[in-house]
Amino acid sequence: MIARQVFRSAQPLKHNFRRYATEPPKPSSNTALYGGLAVAAGVGSYYYLFKTGQAPPAPPSKQEVENVGKNDVGKATPAFTGGDQGWIGLKLEKVEEINHNTKRFRFALPEPDQVSGLQIASAILTKHKGAQEDKPAIRPYTPVSDEDAKGYLDFVIKRYPNGPMSEHLHEMVPEQRLDFKGPIPKYPWSANKHNHITLIAGGTGITPMYQLARGIFNNPDDKTKVTLVFGNISEEDILLKKEFEDLENTYPQRFRAFYVLDKPPASWTQGKGFISKELLKTVMPEPNSENIKVFVCGPPGLYKAISGTKNSPQDQGELSGILKDLGYSKDQVYKF
C-alpha cells in the first residue's frame, strides 16, 4: 500500500510530471582559454614573421580548442572487445563495504590507460570454478563506473545465499583475480532515442538502470527525461541512492526518483509494500505518450508482477502484469 503522504505529494504529478521543462545548456567556461590563445598567437605571429619572412600557420579554431582532451578518450584502447577475445583475468584492487550484504569492488584493467570497452547499455560476464564444483559459475554484472573511466571497473554486488558467484566475490580480497569476458550488448542507446523513459527496478537490478541514467545525464546533447521507481526491502538496501539524489538535485526538471520499501522505518514517507499499479499509473508517462520506453530489471518476483519474464536473453517474451494492465505495449517495454 502506498503511504498517504506519497499520494498527496504525487497527485500534482498527474498533471505536470510529464511536462518537464527542457534545461538550457550551460554557458561555456572557455573564455579565458580563448583569450590566452589569442594573445599567444599574436606574439608568436610577430616572432615567426621576423625570423622567416613568411606568414605563420593559422592558430587553432574554437572547435579545436574545445576538442582538446575529448579526442584522448576516443583514442583510449578498450580492454574488452568481445568476439573471440576470450576470458581476461583482472586483479581486485579494493573492496568497500556498503551494507550488511553488499560491497563495492574495483578491478584493475590490464593497462592503466585502457577503458573497459563497454557501451550503454551493456554488461560483462564473470567466471569462477570452485574446488568442489563440477563446472564454473558464469554470471553477468553491470559496472557502475563510467564507460570512459581509465584503468578500472567498479561493481556494486549483493551477496545472495547459495549464490556461487556472489559468495565467491564477497570472499575475495585485494590482489586476487577473477575472469571477465565481454561486453554483452543489451539495449543500444543514443542521445534522445526516447523522449521519456521509466526505470522500474528491484534490488541489484538497479545497476543497469544507473548505467543508462548516468549515460544520459553525462551527455549534454541528451535531453531525455527519466523516471525511476525502485523497490527494496529496507532503507539500507537502497543502492546508489546518493548517486540518484545527485542526479535529482542537478536535473530536477528531467529526473525524478520514487522509492518503495517492504519494511520501511516509522519515519518513511514514500511508498510502502511493493511497487503497485496505483504508483506506476501516477508517476509514469501515459501509454499513449509519444516515444516512451519502460525498462524493467530485478528479481523474478518483480518481473512476474510488473512485466512478465523473458524467455531467454534473446527473447523478451510476452508482456504481462501491471504494465499490460495499464495499457503499455510489448514494444514499449524492455526487460534487462
Side-chain angles (χ1 to χ4, degrees):
M1 180 180 294
I2 305 300
R4 193 171 304 169
Q5 296 96 318
V6 174
F7 278 113
R8 282 202 295 267
S9 62
Q11 286 304 313
L13 296 175
K14 294 181 178 179
H15 305 290
N16 64 21
F17 185 79
R18 303 178 185 99
R19 298 200 297 269
Y20 290 132
T22 301
E23 294 182 326
K26 295 181 179 179
S28 172
S29 61
N30 287 330
T31 304
L33 179 58
Y34 300 142
L37 285 173
V39 172
V43 175
S45 297
Y46 177 83
Y47 179 79
Y48 192 93
L49 181 63
F50 178 79
K51 294 290 289 184
T52 67
Q54 300 176 5
S61 67
K62 177 179 178 180
Q63 186 62 48
E64 288 172 332
V65 172
E66 290 180 341
N67 286 336
V68 172
K70 292 182 180 179
N71 293 333
D72 293 340
V73 174
K75 295 177 182 178
T77 303
F80 295 95
T81 58
D84 58 357
Q85 182 184 35
W87 296 89
I88 299 176
L90 299 184
K91 183 176 67 175
L92 179 62
E93 277 194 344
K94 64 179 180 179
V95 181
E96 175 189 352
E97 190 165 319
I98 295 178
N99 61 29
H100 65 286
N101 63 1
T102 306
K103 294 180 179 180
R104 188 182 189 110
F105 301 86
R106 172 164 293 187
F107 286 89
L109 295 175
E111 300 295 336
D113 59 347
Q114 286 182 318
V115 295
S116 66
L118 274 70
Q119 303 296 322
I120 300 170
S122 61
I124 195 165
L125 295 176
T126 58
K127 182 178 72 171
H128 170 71
K129 183 179 181 301
Q132 307 300 322
E133 296 171 354
D134 295 330
K135 57 182 181 179
I138 298 177
R139 296 288 185 275
Y141 290 104
T142 303
V144 297
S145 46
D146 285 354
E147 283 65 42
D148 59 359
K150 291 185 178 182
Y152 66 89
L153 278 173
D154 283 352
F155 299 88
V156 171
I157 298 174
K158 180 175 291 189
R159 182 173 192 159
Y160 290 98
N162 302 316
M165 183 59 70
S166 67
E167 287 195 340
H168 172 68
L169 277 160
H170 275 249
E171 292 170 359
M172 288 184 68
V173 296
E175 301 299 321
Q176 291 184 327
R177 290 183 172 270
L178 185 68
D179 286 339
F180 290 85
K181 184 178 182 180
I184 309 300
K186 295 291 185 177
Y187 190 84
W189 183 262
S190 56
N192 306 302
K193 187 170 186 174
H194 300 289
N195 297 339
H196 194 156
I197 65 172
T198 301
L199 313 175
I200 304 175
T204 53
I206 195 63
T207 53
M209 307 303 198
Y210 178 60
Q211 182 191 56
L212 183 53
R214 186 187 68 239
I216 288 171
F217 292 108
N218 277 351
N219 183 353
D221 296 327
D222 200 331
K223 305 304 179 183
T224 306
K225 297 168 186 176
V226 182
T227 299
L228 169 67
V229 182
F230 189 14
N232 285 280
I233 296 175
S234 66
E235 190 170 10
E236 70 171 350
D237 291 318
I238 303 176
L239 305 178
L240 301 168
K241 191 169 189 288
K242 181 184 181 301
E243 287 82 351
F244 285 117
E245 286 176 343
D246 289 344
L247 289 180
E248 198 164 21
N249 290 332
T250 306
Y251 306 97
Q253 296 176 321
R254 290 176 51 210
F255 179 74
R256 294 296 301 275
F258 299 89
Y259 302 97
V260 179
L261 297 182
D262 186 32
K263 298 178 181 179
S267 60
W268 185 252
T269 59
Q270 294 202 43
K272 298 178 181 179
F274 299 101
I275 297 174
S276 70
K277 181 187 297 186
E278 289 77 13
L279 176 61
L280 294 182
K281 184 177 181 180
T282 300
V283 304
M284 291 176 62
E286 295 177 353
N288 59 1
S289 301
E290 183 180 357
N291 192 19
I292 62 170
K293 195 76 174 182
V294 184
F295 295 87
V296 183
C297 190
L302 180 133
Y303 280 113
K304 183 177 180 180
I306 302 297
S307 63
T309 59
K310 294 188 296 184
N311 292 334
S312 71
Q314 292 76 34
D315 184 354
Q316 287 279 297
E318 294 302 315
L319 181 66
S320 62
I322 292 175
L323 292 179
K324 183 177 181 180
D325 294 343
L326 289 175
Y328 296 91
S329 68
K330 179 180 178 180
D331 291 341
Q332 289 177 310
V333 179
Y334 182 82
K335 308 167 191 176
F336 275 108

